[in-house]
Amino acid sequence: STQSTGNSEMAKWVFAALSALCSAAAASTPLMISVVDHGADPTGQADSTLAFRAALSASTAATSTPVVVPPGVYMITGTLNVTMQSLMGSTAAAWVSDGSPQPQIVFHPFGESAGGSGMVRLGAGGTVHGLHVTYDWEGRAIQPIPPCIHMAEGDGPRVSDMRITGAWAAVSSIGNPNCGRYLLSNLFIVDAHHYGIAMGASFDFSTIDGVEVWAPNSEWMFANGTGILIHGVDGVRASNLAVFRASVGISLQSNLPGAPAHGVWGTFTNLITDYCVTGMLVNGSNTVQLNSGSFQSHESSLDVRGDGGSLRIAGSRFKSNGDAAVQITGSNIVTISGSGISRVFESVSSVPALRIGSDPEQAVTVTGCDVEASDPVVVECGGLGVSPTIQPLVCANGTVMLASNFVRVSRSGARVRADPGRRWGADRMRQELE
């Protein structure tokens, strides 16, 4: 009929008009925005801060189109704001000892502020990915300045496939009241001086995976720094973490100065710390499960303290030199099973491998572990040495159960690789830096 023919023609016209509009929109919206197209200098000779900001502004106007950093070296002297956007370099990262194949940013933290600034202020839904950031302190003394990447507000930020070298703190969300669902993945943090990563309050599940904090040259990190700090997160999934040469390798805290009390609830797997003064510190009302950890420390490899916490550990290894490999104090529930606890270091005497306090509210179970020390007292419970031949054993007024552990005195010097002076190295360094 004439009417149906007219409707058909109208539908064809509407479809053609919509197709033309969509094609025009696609043509006007780029797939990505290059910082070079906005004036960034890939040779690193000229300051590219304004060019990066212009590209990010263009991204905002173009519905958060990804901002791409092509291969090269770029000088940045001020803070970049990234919210609901992606600032991206390489699609994937590879780590080599003295560099990386990623686009490199040489960051001058005092370029725009006499007190120092951070490189990226990351807002809700912001992503920084695939860049190598190197700090140029311009001959100034190492001092507290804002973190390289600050997850300052909002939730859902992501930092991935990054190498960050020489920052005071590399990545932090401290000060953000709820940095929920953050994702940190495949980060190589070299010679940070205060924190490798420092993550604060998060009221949603968050993820940390494949983070290495490696500080062979930072005396600040060894004297006073923390490789990985986690505070106040509901449901963190943390795996494949490593810290080398920090005062504290991994710190889980329910209380931070200036922040509401908020414990860490989460699971931790495949953790390694080496050459740290303290391997892992768990302080306060945290609910934590740890599996497959390996810790080698100058003093304690595991230090549990504070009140109201719950910690369950399986299949891990704790080795120390100068102090008890595992120390447990405070009113916490702690279960350790199927793990190794070792303090074989004859140069320091009268120190057990396992030391458990006498808090009347504690509930500690150690079972199926091999425990060794070079001191005759291998296990200290409630301030008293316990017999290695009597098990199961209840001690500390019924608050501690030791069962089915293999406890022995070992004096095999061949198993000790550290020199005696290492125990006090961090204390001397702290005095020199004060």
Side-chain angles (χ1 to χ4, degrees), residues 219 222-223 277 298-299 420-432:
E219 304 305 345
F222 184 56
V277 180
H298 297 312
E299 298 200 6
R422 277 174 46 168
R423 179 189 178 191
W424 298 280
D427 293 332
R428 288 201 302 267
M429 190 61 64
R430 291 187 187 102
Q431 293 172 0
E432 292 173 4

Side-chain angles (χ1 to χ4, degrees), residues 16-29:
L18 289 174
S19 297
L21 288 172
C22 291
S23 297
S28 63
T29 303

Side-chain angles (χ1 to χ4, degrees), residues 396-431:
N397 296 316
T399 62
V400 178
M401 167 68 77
L402 306 174
S404 301
N405 300 294
F406 185 65
V407 180
R408 67 188 185 277
V409 175
S410 176
R411 298 186 182 279
S412 177
R415 297 163 67 172
V416 178
R417 298 181 181 178
D419 63 270
R422 277 174 46 168
R423 179 189 178 191
W424 298 280
D427 293 332
R428 288 201 302 267
M429 190 61 64
R430 291 187 187 102
Q431 293 172 0

Side-chain angles (χ1 to χ4, degrees), residues 57-100:
S57 295
S59 167
T60 300
T63 63
S64 301
T65 301
V67 175
V68 174
V69 183
V73 178
Y74 301 85
M75 181 195 304
I76 299 295
T77 59
T79 302
L80 308 174
N81 292 300
V82 180
T83 298
M84 298 299 291
Q85 300 165 285
S86 298
L87 179 63
M88 305 175 64
S90 302
T91 56
W95 314 126
V96 294
S97 298
D98 299 313
S100 73

Side-chain angles (χ1 to χ4, degrees), residues 76-78 107-118 135-146 168:
I76 299 295
T77 59
F107 181 59
H108 296 253
F110 302 98
E112 292 186 349
S113 171
S117 63
Y135 269 59
D136 185 344
W137 287 80
E138 299 173 342
R140 297 175 187 243
I142 303 299
Q143 57 192 281
I145 59 174
W168 174 253

Side-chain angles (χ1 to χ4, degrees), residues 17 50 78 124 127 166 173 196 213 236 263 266 282 333 337 344 356 378 382 388 392 418 424:
L50 295 180
T127 293
S173 70
V213 180
V236 65
V282 183
I333 300 171
S337 63
V344 180
I356 306 171
V378 180
W424 298 280

